[in-house]
Amino acid sequence: MTQAPVEHLVSDGRGLTLHSFHHVPEETRFDDAVTDFSVVALRHEGRLLMVYERERMTWELPGGGIEPGESPREAAARELGEESGQVAGELRFIGYGLFTAGRAQRQMYGALYAGETAAVRPFVPNEEISAIHWRTGTEPLPARVQPVDEYLAALCEQ
């Protein structure tokens, strides 16, 4: 018996798939999966911040897991600072994406925020992130760019 392909918006070809995106209130909680992580599309003078994630060897939006007792917004601001050293003025909530990830294809939601920064802060490489880059448009980068994050960044421009 052949299974019908699962619909999705974009996949990275490595196990991360964005199935749907929901423009709903920030306080929305879902019954089918937990909100597990937050990402930030941060801009400075029209350029988008990308971070180079060492283990996955890809350029991505800054973001990561939500810690116990932390809101998705708090996680977004914390991860932005930890991964890039940057601070956003005010984060604007965009919505929630429904994702599957990993070999087990675990289902989870991720919160997407957009922000601007007036001043670029110094970056110090860390165990997770080796470089940052302020990208213009679809400027080619010297390594793989995460296609799911490019899709999410485009949602912030709408």
Side-chain angles (χ1 to χ4, degrees):
M1 174 183 237
T2 305
Q3 283 187 316
V6 177
E7 294 292 322
H8 65 273
L9 299 173
V10 63
S11 178
D12 73 352
R14 295 179 173 181
L16 179 66
T17 301
L18 173 61
H19 294 278
S20 59
F21 195 83
H22 308 274
H23 295 280
V24 295
E26 187 172 2
E27 60 276 1
T28 301
R29 296 299 172 253
F30 302 93
D31 293 333
D32 56 340
V34 298
T35 301
D36 201 45
F37 66 95
S38 295
V39 295
V40 178
L42 184 69
R43 294 190 179 279
H44 173 72
E45 297 180 352
R47 294 174 161 238
L48 176 67
L49 174 65
M50 302 293 289
V51 298
Y52 188 76
E53 207 284 345
R54 292 177 191 269
E55 187 175 314
R56 289 186 290 274
M57 297 185 295
T58 59
W59 289 98
E60 304 176 351
L61 295 176
I66 299 171
E67 295 180 355
E70 189 176 48
S71 72
R73 180 178 292 276
E74 291 167 335
R78 177 184 51 76
E79 287 285 345
L80 175 64
E82 287 177 2
E83 291 189 353
S84 70
Q86 306 307 305
V87 176
E90 183 176 325
L91 291 176
R92 179 172 53 95
F93 177 69
I94 305 300
Y96 291 102
L98 176 61
F99 295 83
T100 53
R103 288 187 177 151
Q105 288 295 283
R106 185 172 71 88
Q107 189 169 305
M108 69 194 117
Y109 285 91
L112 175 61
Y113 294 86
E116 296 277 337
T117 187
V120 173
R121 294 182 175 214
F123 167 72
V124 177
N126 55 59
E127 287 183 21
E128 185 179 3
I129 306 300
S130 63
I132 67 170
H133 181 77
W134 294 93
R135 188 177 188 201
T136 302
T138 57
E139 166 191 359
L141 295 176
R144 183 176 191 273
V145 177
Q146 170 54 269
V148 174
D149 288 9
E150 286 187 300
Y151 186 94
L152 294 173
L155 289 175
C156 295
E157 296 175 3
Q158 299 176 358

